[in-house]
Amino acid sequence: MSSILIKAATIVNENKQFTADLLIKDGLIERIDGTIDVKADQEINAEGLHLFPGCIDDQVHFREPGLTHKGEIYTESRAAVAGGITSFMEMPNTVPNTLTQELLEQKYQIGAQKSLANYSFFMGASNDNLDEVLKTDASQVCGIKVFMGSSTGNMLVDNPKTLEHLFAESPMLIATHCEDEATIKANLEHYKQLVGEQNLTIKFHPKIRSEEACYLSSSMAVALAKKHNTRLHILHISTEKETHLFSNAIPLSEKRITAEACIHHLWFSDADYETKGNLIKWNPAVKTATDREGILKAVLDGRIDVIATDHAPHTAEEKAQPYMQAPSGGPLVQHALPAMLELYHQGKITLEQIAEKMAHNVATLFRIEKRGFIREGYWADIALVNLNNPWTVTKDNILYKCNWSPFEGTTFKSKIAHTIVSGKLAYHNGQLVEVGSGSRLSFRQ
């Protein structure tokens, strides 16, 4: 293994900023000091750059196996690394759905061969695979994913008995997509009757996948978790109302019920449907500016614990279909950290809070071994950022396989300069280092 010496970086870590040198050896952070004078295999002059712990994205859909025309673990992990994301946790609604231990292990094998970022994969739950779910090794797998709302294939868990058993018996974290299916169906029928199916457009999306649909499902999940003392993590909170289901009264390390906000719910509002159309069609839907502000407030006050992407690419052709046919989801990993840094430039969040919500808290919540912090003895997962190097998102610099972004045309003030994954330089001055840098994440229990 090689050594890397980073000189004169402004380190953003554990609610502090300070200037120091950092020495990486054999994949680990060996030393952090004011001045380090040793010979290393590589040296990076980080004067004027901010050094963050690499972002850990707890919710991505990298589409492999089965949907690789949209994205692959290789292509999407490249985009993640270029965006300062050094670790990801990938969802089970691939094809086939990840509903057996054998299929789960196959994804880990793909990750080991192809991923430029560190990786973990969620085990999927369905109405009829509880025995398989309970075989999952909690030290090697990030969690169990439950779709309590519309989903792909056999992954909608809507049987009350199944949900009760899952929450009662799961020894590990359950991550949920919460939207009430019956409410969504009723809303859809209402608007079909009102305007006619052919007249349904993207502007109806947050009305169909409504605040009520989200709150009904989220509150049910919270009630189940409280009943059974389950470790519950609710993904992509999209309404201000839902934020009041969560508490900031105890430290994150002691919480049993946690929540995530996503980049698109912190950036866009329903006013953007007019210009962005289906490109910002997500489930749960982007809702009002009031919801957006409420979610950010909950992020800042600790009711919402982490920020993620829900990166979910589709082809431009798929997105160009009429509203009812266009799939939900969009690519985000390359632009998530630059977007959050833009909110910093707007005075809405601090650099320390970005490090906390995108790295420290994800590691704490999922109990990830030796990652998420800039600490001696921890794995060297690092994003070096120039806060004053403006660039505009264009087709030419998008790395997603689908080759589009909802941020196209946006100018960001901050640019990722270098990314280090498990002690290896994976992205350097705008160039990807094409080696499989990623390692499998492991978890304390």
Side-chain angles (χ1 to χ4, degrees):
M1 291 286 283
S2 62
S3 57
I4 302 172
L5 178 60
I6 300 171
K7 298 289 289 181
T10 302
I11 296 174
V12 182
N13 187 60
E14 299 187 72
N15 216 25
K16 289 186 295 205
Q17 288 188 46
F18 58 97
T19 302
D21 294 356
L22 187 144
L23 179 65
I24 298 164
K25 200 170 180 187
D26 297 335
L28 303 176
I29 298 170
E30 183 168 272
R31 192 174 153 205
I32 305 163
D33 216 329
T35 307
I36 301 173
D37 288 317
V38 297
K39 183 75 177 155
D41 298 319
Q42 290 172 293
E43 187 171 306
I44 296 172
N45 176 9
E47 206 170 328
L49 300 181
H50 284 70
L51 186 155
F52 287 82
C55 298
I56 306 170
D57 193 339
D58 76 350
Q59 188 188 181
V60 304
H61 303 262
F62 281 179
R63 303 304 193 197
E64 191 171 3
L67 298 165
T68 51
H69 66 288
K70 300 173 191 277
E72 303 166 49
I73 287 168
Y74 169 66
T75 58
E76 308 314 283
S77 70
R78 287 170 88 243
V81 163
I85 293 172
T86 53
S87 302
F88 64 84
M89 302 178 207
E90 208 262 356
M91 291 296 164
N93 55 335
T94 40
V95 178
N97 298 156
T98 315
L99 295 172
T100 68
Q101 295 299 321
E102 183 183 6
L103 289 167
L104 180 62
E105 189 49 43
Q106 285 172 16
K107 287 177 85 167
Y108 276 104
Q109 289 168 11
I110 297 168
Q113 292 163 8
K114 296 185 177 182
S115 184
L116 270 67
N118 306 314
Y119 52 87
S120 192
F121 297 93
F122 280 90
M123 176 65 183
S126 71
N127 279 326
D128 48 23
N129 77 330
L130 186 61
D131 289 345
E132 280 292 300
V133 166
L134 294 177
K135 293 177 192 171
T136 308
D137 182 350
S139 70
Q140 294 296 309
V141 177
C142 50
I144 308 301
K145 173 66 183 286
V146 180
F147 286 91
M148 292 171 64
S150 291
S151 168
T152 308
N154 183 35
M155 296 207 67
L156 171 61
V157 183
D158 56 358
N159 183 320
K161 280 189 178 175
T162 303
L163 284 169
E164 195 80 43
H165 283 312
L166 258 176
F167 277 76
E169 296 178 42
S170 175
M172 59 194 294
L173 179 141
I174 293 176
T176 55
H177 176 133
C178 286
E179 291 183 285
D180 182 68
E181 183 72 2
T183 302
I184 293 167
K185 283 180 174 169
N187 289 342
L188 179 59
E189 283 310 308
H190 169 75
Y191 286 105
K192 278 182 182 176
Q193 294 297 320
L194 193 68
V195 301
E197 185 170 344
Q198 71 282 4
N199 295 319
L200 283 178
T201 63
I202 186 67
K203 72 178 183 183
F204 290 95
H205 195 55
K207 296 180 171 74
I208 294 166
R209 306 189 82 94
S210 62
E211 175 193 83
E212 182 195 11
C214 294
Y215 188 82
L216 268 174
S217 185
S218 294
S219 55
M220 177 188 175
V222 167
L224 280 168
K226 285 179 176 176
K227 179 179 177 181
H228 298 291
N229 195 30
T230 316
R231 280 178 67 205
L232 168 68
H233 184 51
I234 299 189
L235 304 168
H236 43 44
I237 295 298
S238 65
T239 71
E240 193 276 337
K241 186 176 182 180
E242 286 171 287
T243 66
H244 300 286
L245 291 167
F246 308 103
S247 171
N248 56 8
I250 57 171
L252 175 58
S253 59
E254 296 172 25
K255 285 187 184 185
R256 302 292 288 175
I257 297 169
T258 53
E260 168 208 276
C262 284
I263 298 297
H264 45 290
H265 295 125
L266 291 167
W267 186 278
F268 299 105
S269 77
D270 55 3
D272 294 304
Y273 286 123
E274 196 171 333
T275 54
K276 296 288 182 182
N278 292 336
L279 298 183
I280 61 166
K281 184 184 180 187
W282 274 282
N283 299 341
V286 168
K287 297 182 177 69
T288 67
T290 302
D291 289 309
R292 178 178 62 192
E293 284 149 24
I295 295 163
L296 179 60
K297 184 182 178 189
V299 166
L300 298 177
D301 71 21
R303 283 174 291 145
I304 292 180
D305 306 284
V306 302
I307 296 170
T309 67
D310 192 16
H311 173 93
H314 299 283
T315 67
E317 292 75 21
E318 288 167 333
K319 278 292 197 178
Q321 295 175 102
Y323 162 67
M324 288 292 288
Q325 284 76 51
S328 293
L332 280 169
V333 285
Q334 188 182 349
H335 304 108
L337 181 53
M340 289 311 301
L341 291 169
E342 204 63 25
L343 296 189
Y344 155 74
H345 285 294
Q346 294 167 14
K348 293 178 179 175
I349 193 168
T350 67
L351 297 179
E352 294 87 346
Q353 286 167 326
I354 291 171
E356 178 186 44
K357 298 294 177 174
M358 298 184 82
H360 306 334
N361 280 8
V362 197
T364 300
L365 195 160
F366 284 88
R367 304 174 181 171
I368 304 171
E369 293 273 16
K370 288 188 172 181
R371 298 189 191 271
F373 297 86
I374 305 300
R375 292 176 180 168
E376 291 176 357
Y378 271 54
W379 287 103
D381 294 332
I382 288 165
L384 279 157
V385 176
N386 187 333
L387 291 180
N388 298 294
N389 187 7
W391 63 290
T392 302
V393 180
T394 67
K395 288 253 186 276
D396 292 339
N397 56 36
I398 289 170
L399 292 170
Y400 312 126
K401 186 171 184 178
C402 66
N403 196 228
W404 65 270
S405 165
F407 286 113
E408 266 173 80
T410 302
T411 298
F412 291 122
K413 290 187 175 71
S414 305
K415 194 170 193 180
I416 314 303
H418 315 280
T419 308
I420 294 167
V421 177
S422 294
K424 298 174 192 163
L425 200 55
Y427 184 73
H428 182 52
N429 287 329
Q431 298 298 313
L432 283 146
V433 182
E434 298 284 352
V435 291
S437 325
S439 302
R440 182 171 180 162
L441 299 177
S442 57
F443 306 88
R444 299 182 306 280
Q445 292 312 309

